Amino acid sequence: MKPMEILDSSSGLTSSSSPVENRRYNIIMRMGIICFILILLLNWVYSDNDMNDIPSLQIGQVYESFTASQVLATCTLSLNNLDSDKEVTYLNPSQLLMPAPKSIIYEGTTIKSSSIYTIGRNVRFVYNLSIYNDQNTYMLVKQYIELFCFNANSNSNSTKKKKTTVINIDMKTLSSGELFNENENKRIEEYDIKIVNDLEISIVANTIIGIKNAITSTLIQLFTLPKQTELQLESLPLIINDYPKYHWRGIMIDVARHYIPVTLLKRSIDAMQISKLNVLHLHLTDSQSFPILLDDIGTLKLSLLSKLGSFKNDNDNDNDNDINIYTKSDLKDLVNYAKNRGIDIVPEIDVPAHTYSWGKAFSNILVNCDSIAKSAQSPLDIYSLDPTNPVTYKVIEEVLKQISEIFPFEYLHIGGDELDFKCWQTSSNIKKYISDNKITYKDLLKEFETRIFLIVNSLNRKPIVWQGITDSNSLPDIK
């Protein structure tokens, strides 16, 4: 991320990341250059107290006091998206913004174009803290602003000679009754952006999520235009009001069939944030791998699920460092990262089918379907857990318990899709159970799902299944 100037309200001093990125220099030389730059910056701050010069603050710094209105940051637009010898396309907000906001209202006199987006313009964010005075909110807003400045290809070389657009950020005070009512979806994420003129923009939202959507999605698009385009407004003031039509807006990422490092998952979360998506369905386990390192419970060696059932790196080594797994710490970090961006993560542990990887650690709970798997198009997907073995439910219960401790979201996905009953029909134990209880294989699946639903409910979670469960009339009678 490029450097940006941000106010440190506790010290008033300026700090900056080193501009030296050339790895040919050794550490001593880097330290010397950094110290030299810091001295110059300190002299600059103390020699000029004009508010056009905004000192710096790094994310994570502790604040001792707040003022009623605080300059958060300023960055200078430096992205030149126009070639002088090519035709320019003018876009109004309704053509530019995706997804489209709920409404765009023009209140002023007609104008032909706007100079809000100008190369070299300073953008200054002002944050009103008089209402809630909350440090966590403050730091989250700063993260959103950093994302804005990064995507706007900004730099910190501001100057008093350049025009400055001031963006004021404020949050309404709503009682819990006002916020959590029948319009909860709208109220939590709603925001207004008012463009008064090329020097003044305001953002007002009900919650931090509304502020996030306003800055990291809508505002970014207004200031980072496509190549050979300029922003055109019919009139000013302009008010953009937005809130979601659907509460659940998400994508699914399958990390069981293809291991994806946490760093790349975070990039996907960043993209979701910009697109106003708010639910990440993480398909964690499948026949191909079980990539979550869980804790052993007594003699129940759950750690073997990942140590034996996850993907390995392409080498001849046989140690834990060569397997592709997520630790609990990895996943908790991912959950927190997503939460700060207004995104909930739904974990999926797919049972009873898609569980071949489980059998590498617990062969006794997996039905041996070798006889029919060999001729199947996807052999690994034929295998299934044994619903008649009590150990099966013990393992599932302990797995789901630890998963629920990692992922705090109210929903827990338990799969249930694409069970091939032919696998169960190869098991003498299952055939005997079917005969003794005078039930069908679909009835047995319903029994299995009912027991798993009860486990999920005991963990204070709501179960989610794939449509295949309803298609086979095996959906439990409980919620």
Side-chain angles (χ1 to χ4, degrees), residues 3-27:
M4 55 180 290
E5 295 181 323
I6 309 174
L7 184 68
D8 181 344
S9 61
S10 62
S11 65
L13 302 182
T14 298
S15 62
S16 175
S17 58
S18 171
V20 180
E21 297 293 341
N22 193 330
R23 296 186 177 181
R24 293 176 299 177
Y25 294 97
N26 58 37
I27 296 177

Side-chain angles (χ1 to χ4, degrees), residues 76-139:
T76 304
L77 301 178
S78 59
L79 174 62
N80 190 346
N81 68 323
L82 300 177
D83 293 332
S84 58
D85 58 340
K86 295 182 180 179
E87 184 178 355
V88 176
T89 300
Y90 292 91
L91 298 176
N92 60 47
S94 62
Q95 296 170 314
L96 181 65
L97 296 176
M98 293 180 63
K102 195 67 177 177
S103 66
I104 300 176
I105 302 173
Y106 296 91
E107 293 188 333
T109 57
T110 301
I111 60 174
K112 290 184 178 180
S113 64
S114 169
S115 59
I116 289 177
Y117 183 85
T118 304
I119 304 303
R121 174 179 293 274
N122 294 328
V123 180
R124 181 183 303 162
F125 290 86
V126 180
Y127 188 44
N128 191 331
L129 294 167
S130 60
I131 297 176
Y132 34 85
N133 198 25
D134 181 78
Q135 181 175 333
N136 290 333
T137 302
Y138 186 84
M139 300 309 293

Side-chain angles (χ1 to χ4, degrees), residues 199-234:
L199 300 178
E200 182 181 353
I201 299 174
S202 66
I203 296 173
V204 180
N206 291 334
T207 67
I208 187 66
I209 302 302
I211 291 175
K212 174 195 74 70
N213 288 339
I215 295 175
T216 64
S217 181
T218 303
L219 204 64
I220 279 180
Q221 293 182 70
L222 292 177
F223 279 85
T224 56
L225 302 176
K227 191 71 174 176
Q228 292 303 114
T229 61
E230 285 199 40
L231 180 64
Q232 178 172 304
L233 304 178
E234 296 176 12

Side-chain angles (χ1 to χ4, degrees), residues 59-66 72 127 129 132-143 208:
I59 289 295
Q61 188 163 343
V62 177
Y63 292 82
E64 297 178 355
S65 62
F66 295 102
L72 275 172
Y127 188 44
L129 294 167
Y132 34 85
N133 198 25
D134 181 78
Q135 181 175 333
N136 290 333
T137 302
Y138 186 84
M139 300 309 293
L140 285 174
V141 173
K142 281 187 50 56
Q143 290 182 19
I208 187 66

Side-chain angles (χ1 to χ4, degrees), residues 351-363:
V351 293
H354 296 279
T355 48
Y356 177 79
S357 59
W358 296 52
K360 295 182 179 181
F362 298 96
S363 59

